Amino acid sequence: MGDVAKDLTSGTIGGAAQLIVGHPFDTIKVKLQSQPAPLPGQPPKYPGAMDAVKQTLAAEGPRGLYKGMGAPLATVAAFNAVLFTVRGQMEALLRSEPGATLTVGQQVICGAGAGVAVSFLACPTELIKCRLQAQSVLADSASAGVLVKYGGPMDVARHVLKSEGGIRGLFKGMVPTLAREVPGNAVVFGVYKALKQYMAGGPDTSKLGRGSFIVAGGLAGAAFWLTVYPTDVIKSVIQVDDYKNPKYTGSINAFRRIFASEGLKGLYKGFGPAMARSVPANAACFLAYEVTRSSLG
């Protein structure tokens, strides 16, 4: 099996592991991000992450925590296959000779390049996912009368293609998606490489065990969100914004309005669930990738 096929297979399995472990946390994150700012003197619908979990379970049951999983599950193979394959091909280009170990800086470059590639898959997938995850909280907003009710991922896609500008509508939020994926993946792969080298005591990391992959992967995932979280908030609010009566005119406008009305904390809504998700989900992803890649030779 060639290197591309190995990366495709390993990336797919790693992505599936990441999604299964992390999706409930992601659902709570999106609900906190997308809930409308409360009226003066009124409490928010979800005062915090645990309250969002309780309300979701009470209203929708455990299935509510996995709402919107169909879209990323359907594309997780393509997403992670592209991510790890592009990264692997960039590694091959940067190596001075076959088998040479790359530096942390070179891994940062590989991660950034992979981030550009996966943004074109992430944007429409995230739009569908966020619409499904956020529709229950948006139903209680002032625009509930015109809120579109979605029956599932394909229903979201059909509605957007028919009523929100066709293919272009599925790529709403592309700018903040790029602003998240490019630096975020640069940091992920750079930190992952640096931590593995630190734990191995040098550039040769071939003797590391599964525990090291779990620690390095989990901390690399945490570094992703520490670096790019506000851009994820901007992406989410733009993607769930009403098409006919938009609240935001673009990424910069969304940033300014959120900061003006809610301050810095408005750009970190849902940060707790995101961090709680990032460590186990990315640990699962990198462990599954490394184990699968190793088993394939």
Side-chain angles (χ1 to χ4, degrees):
M1 183 181 289
D3 285 340
V4 173
K6 292 176 184 177
D7 283 329
L8 284 168
T9 303
S10 304
T12 299
I13 294 173
Q18 181 184 44
L19 184 65
I20 292 168
V21 171
H23 193 80
F25 296 96
D26 187 68
T27 296
I28 299 304
K29 171 182 72 72
V30 171
K31 287 194 172 192
L32 290 170
Q33 288 176 338
S34 58
Q35 65 177 329
L39 297 173
Q42 298 294 319
K45 178 176 174 61
Y46 302 124
M50 290 308 299
D51 192 67
V53 172
K54 291 175 182 177
Q55 288 194 45
T56 300
L57 290 174
E60 306 171 59
R63 290 180 61 184
L65 295 173
Y66 283 90
K67 187 167 286 184
M69 187 173 171
L73 185 61
T75 58
V76 68
F79 183 93
N80 283 276
V82 169
L83 180 68
F84 283 97
T85 301
V86 171
R87 173 210 176 203
Q89 291 305 296
M90 291 192 68
E91 284 180 337
L93 290 173
L94 293 176
R95 284 194 178 98
S96 57
E97 59 183 37
T101 300
L102 297 184
T103 66
V104 172
Q106 288 173 318
Q107 284 291 354
V108 168
I109 295 172
C110 293
V116 173
V118 299
S119 292
F120 291 91
L121 287 174
C123 187
T125 301
E126 290 270 317
L127 182 140
I128 292 170
K129 174 182 71 69
C130 288
R131 294 280 180 97
L132 291 170
Q133 289 173 323
Q135 67 177 349
S136 62
V137 63
L138 292 177
D140 292 333
S141 69
S143 60
V146 295
L147 183 70
V148 177
K149 300 292 185 181
Y150 302 114
M154 292 306 297
D155 192 38
V156 178
R158 282 193 294 266
H159 173 80
V160 172
L161 290 171
K162 181 180 178 180
S163 306
E164 298 188 23
I167 294 294
R168 183 178 179 181
L170 288 175
F171 285 88
K172 184 179 182 180
M174 185 65 183
V175 171
T177 299
L178 282 165
R180 184 188 73 172
E181 293 296 331
V182 176
N185 281 294
V187 167
V188 163
F189 288 111
V191 169
Y192 185 66
K193 179 71 171 181
L195 287 172
K196 287 204 303 179
Q197 289 186 349
Y198 175 78
M199 288 185 285
D204 182 7
T205 61
S206 61
K207 304 299 183 182
L208 290 177
R210 295 183 178 184
S212 298
F213 298 146
I214 291 172
V215 172
L219 292 177
F224 178 99
W225 290 115
L226 284 170
T227 304
V228 301
Y229 193 78
T231 61
D232 185 68
V233 174
I234 301 301
K235 178 200 69 65
S236 294
V237 299
I238 286 177
Q239 290 185 324
V240 302
D241 200 11
D242 187 70
Y243 178 72
K244 294 182 179 179
N245 300 290
K247 184 177 180 181
Y248 307 109
T249 59
S251 300
I252 300 300
N253 180 256
F255 173 84
R256 289 173 176 170
R257 294 190 62 175
I258 292 172
F259 188 77
S261 63
E262 303 175 63
L264 186 62
K265 69 178 182 179
L267 295 169
Y268 283 89
K269 291 188 294 186
F271 184 68
M275 290 300 290
R277 166 189 177 271
S278 66
V279 175
N282 283 280
C285 177
F286 279 99
L287 174 63
Y289 173 83
E290 295 278 13
V291 170
T292 305
R293 192 68 169 78
S294 177
S295 69
L296 294 175

